[in-house]
Amino acid sequence: MNKQLLATLGVATLLASTHAAAVDRISAVHAFPPSLIYTQSFLEFVDKVNERGEGVVQIDVRGGPEVIGLSEQPDAVRNGVVDMAYTAASFYAGTVPERDAMVASNTNAIHARENGGIDLLNEIHQEKMGTYYLGWFDSGVSYNLYTINEPRLDDDGNLSVSGMTLRSNPVYDAFFQDYLGAQPISLPTTDVYSALERNVVNATGWTQIGLKDLNWDRFLNYRIDPDFFSTDMGVILNLDSWNALSEEAREILQEVAIEHERASAERFEVLATEQLEELEADGMQVFRLEGEAGERFSEAAREATWERMRRQMERHPMGLEHYDELIEKFNDL
């Protein structure tokens, strides 16, 4: 065999070896700072993928809102600026209004995965947004209203928002405005601490987990019960980036995501109870809407969310396709 042929074969072998050893790399961002427990959950998922996907697929985390603003991250994924984001679906509600199914849900990712609800959301994400919905993480955690000042009731026993400067973001708006009659101030999570400190706002909604991570408990003295809503944190990928991955890489990502859906839902259910008890032990007082007033409060949160989803879906060419199916699959308990 001549030297030129040997050299050619050697180069071909090297190229084949290099191609076989190629690792799919995914760039990722997360909505909240690393100190927040939700971000820590996502980073645990990343570690699991990188361990199981060694030599096949790796997630490279670029950072959080300091890299790309939390409300800009969904479009950054959609446009291919980054491949992946761990974000609240509420940040792209105008594009995928069906995400309200998670917000209004009385279930969690475990049930919604088993009954096909998450697969349905994935189909909708692909069609409407050009993204692949990998998983609904940290699900089943409810929200409460938290206030600096003692809440008051109106003459009918309902919560009064008179004198309440209520911070909001897209997930709360329909409920706060349509039912409570509030004119809330829209602020991103990263600005709420200083707003509470300066008394720009004196009330906010937040989940039952993570208030201490944000240090908002330094200012907030009351928790209003009953709770409402459900968290809608999840992972989306640019659809072209997803399709470009090897089959093995896609299998690893989906497998780990489904495992993390279950693990995080189970862990956060316990953690929510523990953290609420911890806040009460530290002096937070519970202001409970009793009887029919509490029932009206809870029902209004669900109805406002489903109605918002319906109105937004009607403006899309797909119309109300999947509306009834989403209600069925995300109210499965």
Side-chain angles (χ1 to χ4, degrees):
M1 189 177 293
N2 62 43
K3 292 182 179 180
Q4 183 176 355
L5 181 56
L6 285 172
T8 301
L9 289 172
V11 170
T13 302
L14 178 61
L15 289 173
S17 175
T18 301
H19 184 267
V23 176
D24 285 324
R25 308 204 74 89
I26 299 169
S27 59
V29 291
H30 46 78
F32 303 124
S35 58
L36 193 60
I37 191 167
Y38 292 102
T39 305
Q40 293 167 16
S41 174
F42 170 65
L43 296 177
E44 289 173 10
F45 162 74
V46 170
D47 288 342
K48 293 174 186 175
V49 170
N50 288 348
E51 180 179 355
R52 195 173 305 178
E54 186 174 358
V56 179
V57 60
Q58 296 287 283
I59 300 174
D60 300 321
V61 179
R62 292 186 178 178
E66 77 284 357
V67 175
I68 300 175
L70 72 171
S71 61
E72 299 167 357
Q73 291 179 8
D75 276 342
V77 173
R78 186 180 190 178
N79 298 329
V81 177
V82 290
D83 300 315
M84 171 188 286
Y86 168 73
T87 185
S90 298
F91 294 144
Y92 53 85
T95 306
V96 185
E98 290 86 348
R99 112 294 179 214
D100 264 334
M102 291 182 283
V103 176
S105 175
N106 71 346
T107 184
N108 61 23
I110 298 172
H111 298 277
R113 176 66 69 179
E114 291 173 348
N115 69 20
I118 295 177
D119 289 337
L120 177 58
L121 274 182
N122 184 19
E123 292 175 19
I124 295 168
H125 275 74
Q126 291 185 47
E127 180 168 352
K128 287 192 170 184
M129 193 177 177
T131 58
Y132 187 92
Y133 193 80
L134 187 65
W136 180 18
F137 292 175
D138 315 321
S139 64
V141 179
S142 299
Y143 290 73
N144 286 90
L145 278 178
Y146 300 87
T147 67
I148 293 176
N149 305 315
E150 183 175 2
R152 294 183 292 112
L153 302 176
D154 63 19
D155 294 339
D156 297 320
N158 299 312
L159 179 69
S160 171
V161 296
S162 176
M164 190 181 292
T165 310
L166 187 57
R167 171 260 175 177
S168 186
N169 67 26
V171 73
Y172 309 114
D173 283 347
F175 176 43
F176 287 179
Q177 294 175 14
D178 297 347
Y179 172 71
L180 295 181
Q183 295 298 319
I185 299 173
S186 183
L187 288 173
T189 304
T190 49
D191 292 346
V192 175
Y193 181 93
S194 60
L196 290 169
E197 185 177 36
R198 293 181 287 112
N199 208 35
V200 173
V201 297
N202 58 25
T204 183
W206 188 251
T207 72
Q208 295 178 331
I209 289 176
L211 203 72
K212 279 183 170 291
D213 296 339
L214 296 163
N215 292 316
W216 296 356
D217 59 308
R218 295 182 181 181
F219 312 106
L220 297 168
N221 301 308
Y222 295 88
R223 185 186 83 232
I224 298 174
D225 281 353
D227 55 353
F228 57 96
F229 289 170
S230 180
T231 48
D232 61 348
M233 298 300 298
V235 170
I236 55 174
L237 283 91
N238 177 277
L239 188 56
D240 289 337
S241 298
W242 170 261
N243 289 332
L245 296 172
S246 69
E247 182 177 351
E248 186 179 7
R250 291 196 298 267
E251 289 177 355
I252 291 170
L253 281 166
Q254 191 64 85
E255 182 180 81
V256 176
I258 292 173
E259 291 173 5
H260 194 71
E261 280 179 342
R262 175 175 290 275
S264 62
E266 292 173 344
R267 180 163 67 95
F268 275 41
E269 181 180 8
V270 175
L271 197 58
T273 300
E274 293 176 348
Q275 291 202 0
L276 290 176
E277 291 174 350
E278 186 178 354
L279 287 169
E280 290 180 39
D282 288 344
M284 180 168 283
Q285 299 182 55
V286 178
F287 185 90
R288 188 178 304 279
L289 299 174
E290 301 288 356
E292 292 184 0
E295 293 174 7
R296 286 194 296 269
F297 184 86
S298 298
E299 185 62 25
R302 288 191 295 271
E303 289 184 355
T305 307
W306 287 122
E307 179 57 27
R308 174 176 62 190
M309 188 175 90
R310 170 182 282 274
R311 290 197 305 266
Q312 291 178 330
M313 287 177 69
E314 286 176 335
R315 293 195 288 267
H316 190 273
M318 284 176 60
L320 293 174
E321 185 179 357
H322 305 307
Y323 179 80
D324 292 334
E325 188 178 3
L326 285 164
I327 292 178
E328 176 186 352
K329 290 185 180 302
F330 285 86
N331 285 272
D332 196 37
L333 289 181

